[in-house]
Amino acid sequence: MKATAIAPANIAFIKYWGKKDDVLRLPLNSSISMNLSGTTTTTTVEFSKSFQVDEVVIIDGNFSEREELRVIKGLDLIRKRAGISWKAKVVTKNTFPKGAGSAASASGFAALTVAGFSAMGLLLSEKELTIIARQGSGSACRSIPDGFVSWEEGNSSESSYAHSLFPSTYWDLRDILVIVDSSMKKVSTTDGMEGVQTSPFLPKRLRLLPDRLEVTKKALKDKDMKLLGEVMEEDCLDMHHVMQAQIPPIYYWNDMTKKIMELVVSWRKNDGIPVYFTIDAGPNVHLICEGRDENFVVEKVKKLQSIESFIINHPSPGARLIQEHLF
């Protein structure tokens, strides 16, 4: 009973920060994202009655004990649904740094969920898979459907799920992920969200989000880069202001992060390049533009000093099974 899945990370245009249920990982608000072709996790899962313990291996990297326990909890959700207590071997690899605010947990738990249920011989609907993946890592639910995805806030486990708004082929966007620091961030997303209610900016953010979500859906429907970029940057800055006003405050940006943000504004104003930034819970910067402007943006990125690397992403299909196993 072995299966392998590949799942993309995703970048949220409208983000979520904070949960109303920590166990079920129900978000305080709905969110909208795009799956990314160049930042993926591949995971092979095998269940066997001969295994004595769960074994978790990451290729070219290490799991902390806390991360390993999260994976085992994800396996427990699969075992509970299947009604089978067999232990599992899990081998996984990423194409990008984990723990640096690039949604490695999203792609990781999406791949684990899809591979795990297939290894158990269970066929779940896409909606059911997103509900299970959400309980491992909230944003993992957005990495399962195709392309441009909405995660519905919901008020229960069954009503908080993700679905595709548009397929990956709908709009030729680019996400150029600029890695300014690939090291593990000091405050995990899960830990960071615990203090969200102490931020005086949270109530205003939650009031504004319904309108932002509708504007984002319109921008996607109309393929309006300016409208998408403006609401995306506004929401990014708003989320980080909430973080920075928490007790204790969280500062994910570094000097290079801020420099790139300033440069993006300059590129639009002085060079006429319609490119916009967004940043998840980490220092790395996602530059969003249309495919026709990719070369202009990449040339600008290549001239940046003190960055580690960059990854060019297209809109991607969601998590899917593949035949090539990792073990």
Side-chain angles (χ1 to χ4, degrees):
M1 301 176 75
K2 180 190 293 188
T4 301
I6 184 170
N10 64 77
I11 182 61
F13 299 146
I14 301 298
K15 306 180 186 299
Y16 97 99
W17 186 252
K19 298 186 288 285
K20 52 189 174 187
D21 188 308
D22 287 335
V23 175
L24 294 176
R25 296 184 184 270
L26 300 181
L28 289 176
N29 62 274
S30 299
S31 54
I32 296 175
S33 63
M34 180 179 82
N35 287 331
L36 305 177
S37 62
T39 53
T40 62
T41 300
T42 300
T43 300
T44 298
V45 180
E46 181 178 15
F47 289 98
S48 173
K49 61 182 177 181
S50 67
F51 294 158
Q52 299 301 307
V53 295
D54 291 317
E55 180 184 2
V56 182
V57 178
I58 182 169
I59 296 175
D60 298 326
N62 295 297
F63 273 115
S64 68
E65 182 178 354
R66 182 178 182 181
E67 290 172 308
E68 185 174 16
L69 288 174
R70 284 184 69 186
V71 172
I72 292 172
K73 286 182 179 179
L75 293 171
D76 287 340
L77 292 170
I78 296 168
R79 284 186 280 247
K80 181 179 180 181
R81 182 64 177 266
I84 295 175
S85 60
W86 293 356
K87 298 300 183 180
K89 180 177 181 179
V90 178
V91 177
T92 187
K93 67 175 182 179
N94 294 323
T95 62
F96 64 109
K98 69 185 183 73
S102 303
S105 65
S107 56
F109 278 94
L112 178 72
T113 302
V114 171
F117 278 107
S118 181
M120 276 292 191
L122 294 181
L123 181 62
L124 272 63
S125 68
E126 180 180 270
K127 178 179 178 180
E128 290 174 314
L129 288 170
T130 70
I131 289 170
I132 297 292
R134 185 205 71 232
Q135 295 173 59
S137 170
S139 55
C141 69
R142 297 194 307 242
S143 287
I144 289 179
D146 184 22
F148 301 89
V149 176
S150 176
W151 173 14
E152 303 302 332
E153 169 193 345
N155 52 23
S156 66
S157 188
E158 293 303 310
S159 59
S160 182
Y161 64 95
H163 60 95
S164 179
L165 295 172
F166 299 99
S168 57
T169 55
Y170 180 74
W171 190 5
D172 187 29
L173 290 185
R174 294 292 182 276
D175 174 297
I176 299 163
L177 171 57
V178 183
I179 307 293
V180 302
D181 187 350
S182 60
S183 62
M184 187 72 72
K185 58 192 178 187
K186 295 180 180 179
V187 181
S188 72
T189 300
T190 297
D191 290 344
M193 286 190 186
E194 290 181 358
V196 67
Q197 296 291 347
T198 66
S199 177
F201 296 152
L202 178 63
K204 181 179 179 181
R205 171 171 170 73
L206 294 177
R207 286 197 303 270
L208 293 172
L209 277 167
D211 284 343
R212 285 187 191 147
L213 289 161
E214 291 307 310
V215 169
T216 303
K217 290 176 183 177
K218 183 179 189 313
L220 291 173
K221 180 177 181 293
D222 297 342
K223 299 181 182 178
D224 188 331
M225 188 68 244
K226 184 174 185 292
L227 184 61
L228 176 64
E230 289 176 348
V231 70
M232 179 178 64
E233 285 190 357
E234 176 186 280
D235 190 66
C236 166
L237 294 172
D238 189 17
M239 183 185 75
H240 281 272
H241 291 156
V242 169
M243 296 171 176
Q244 292 162 8
Q246 291 179 197
I247 301 173
I250 305 173
Y251 300 99
Y252 284 117
W253 301 342
N254 62 26
D255 289 343
M256 194 63 194
T257 308
K258 291 180 280 189
K259 180 178 180 180
I260 293 172
M261 293 161 63
E262 293 169 355
L263 284 171
V264 168
V265 175
S266 173
W267 296 342
R268 288 203 303 266
K269 181 179 179 180
N270 300 323
D271 300 306
I273 303 173
V275 58
Y276 298 81
F277 65 79
T278 189
I279 306 159
D280 280 342
N284 301 314
V285 186
H286 295 256
L287 306 181
I288 311 296
C289 65
E290 293 190 88
R292 62 191 176 192
D293 296 310
E294 174 188 334
N295 290 339
F296 295 103
V297 177
V298 168
E299 288 306 309
K300 292 288 189 182
V301 170
K302 286 180 178 178
K303 295 176 182 177
L304 294 174
Q305 301 285 325
S306 302
I307 68 169
E308 294 186 13
S309 61
F310 64 91
I311 301 170
I312 300 172
N313 296 287
H314 301 72
S316 171
R320 56 208 181 273
L321 294 169
I322 60 174
Q323 298 302 313
E324 300 78 20
H325 301 314
L326 296 178
F327 67 91

